[in-house]
Amino acid sequence: MGTIGVAGLSGCVIGVMADSRSGWHMWLRLVTAGLGVFMGSMVFFVFTFGYGNIAAGSWALISAMFAGLVLHLHIVHRMHRLELWYSAQRLVVLRGISLGGLAVSTIVSIYYAYLAVSTHQPVYPIRDSLMIAAVW
């Protein structure tokens, strides 16, 4: 029987999680979070300044910011510095902000999709497309 650790996890599970800081799972997380930052930033500039769709560009920028936060958390966790950067209370606050952002973005995406479908709005021109904004 393993010892009980953080959030009720057994000691053997914690040992597996500690080893995953340098494994391929961690590299996959770092790469996907980095891609989220890169793609969100690029889409922000393309949709905002290229196509003029401010809503889609704004949501892409917000997405890039959340991906940047995830990337930062993964980096400091991998370097064994998470406890130095964030207290348990601060992580709880970040979780709450993230869940709130998830709820708001889900509601807005559904609303954009509903408006686009109910008003029979086409995807093109991209400048006025709510469906493009619903995706981001």
mmCIF file of all heavy atoms in Angstrom, residues 12 26 30 51 124:
data_model
loop_
_atom_site.group_PDB
_atom_site.id
_atom_site.type_symbol
_atom_site.label_atom_id
_atom_site.label_comp_id
_atom_site.label_asym_id
_atom_site.label_seq_id
_atom_site.Cartn_x
_atom_site.Cartn_y
_atom_site.Cartn_z
ATOM 1 N N CYS A 12 3.185 5.646 -5.369
ATOM 2 C CA CYS A 12 3.711 5.111 -6.623
ATOM 3 C C CYS A 12 3.291 5.991 -7.795
ATOM 4 O O CYS A 12 4.042 6.164 -8.730
ATOM 5 C CB CYS A 12 3.298 3.656 -6.793
ATOM 6 S SG CYS A 12 1.893 3.339 -7.806
ATOM 7 N N MET A 26 6.348 15.032 -21.272
ATOM 8 C CA MET A 26 6.632 16.430 -20.966
ATOM 9 C C MET A 26 7.014 17.197 -22.223
ATOM 10 O O MET A 26 6.593 18.327 -22.416
ATOM 11 C CB MET A 26 7.738 16.539 -19.910
ATOM 12 C CG MET A 26 8.096 17.959 -19.546
ATOM 13 S SD MET A 26 6.707 18.994 -18.994
ATOM 14 C CE MET A 26 6.380 18.315 -17.401
ATOM 15 N N LEU A 30 5.191 20.443 -23.758
ATOM 16 C CA LEU A 30 5.911 21.684 -24.059
ATOM 17 C C LEU A 30 5.721 22.088 -25.520
ATOM 18 O O LEU A 30 5.487 23.268 -25.816
ATOM 19 C CB LEU A 30 7.400 21.523 -23.745
ATOM 20 C CG LEU A 30 7.777 21.438 -22.265
ATOM 21 C CD1 LEU A 30 9.238 21.041 -22.116
ATOM 22 C CD2 LEU A 30 7.508 22.757 -21.572
ATOM 23 N N TYR A 51 -7.419 40.244 -42.182
ATOM 24 C CA TYR A 51 -8.813 40.119 -42.589
ATOM 25 C C TYR A 51 -9.731 41.149 -41.936
ATOM 26 O O TYR A 51 -10.845 41.347 -42.390
ATOM 27 C CB TYR A 51 -9.349 38.715 -42.269
ATOM 28 C CG TYR A 51 -8.727 37.629 -43.096
ATOM 29 C CD1 TYR A 51 -7.961 36.643 -42.510
ATOM 30 C CD2 TYR A 51 -8.917 37.586 -44.470
ATOM 31 C CE1 TYR A 51 -7.392 35.634 -43.272
ATOM 32 C CE2 TYR A 51 -8.359 36.584 -45.250
ATOM 33 C CZ TYR A 51 -7.592 35.620 -44.632
ATOM 34 O OH TYR A 51 -7.040 34.622 -45.395
ATOM 35 N N TYR A 124 -17.745 33.433 -45.622
ATOM 36 C CA TYR A 124 -17.070 34.509 -46.352
ATOM 37 C C TYR A 124 -18.014 35.676 -46.528
ATOM 38 O O TYR A 124 -19.189 35.466 -46.784
ATOM 39 C CB TYR A 124 -16.593 34.008 -47.722
ATOM 40 C CG TYR A 124 -15.536 32.944 -47.608
ATOM 41 C CD1 TYR A 124 -15.851 31.607 -47.755
ATOM 42 C CD2 TYR A 124 -14.223 33.287 -47.337
ATOM 43 C CE1 TYR A 124 -14.884 30.630 -47.641
ATOM 44 C CE2 TYR A 124 -13.249 32.311 -47.219
ATOM 45 C CZ TYR A 124 -13.591 30.999 -47.380
ATOM 46 O OH TYR A 124 -12.630 30.036 -47.257
#
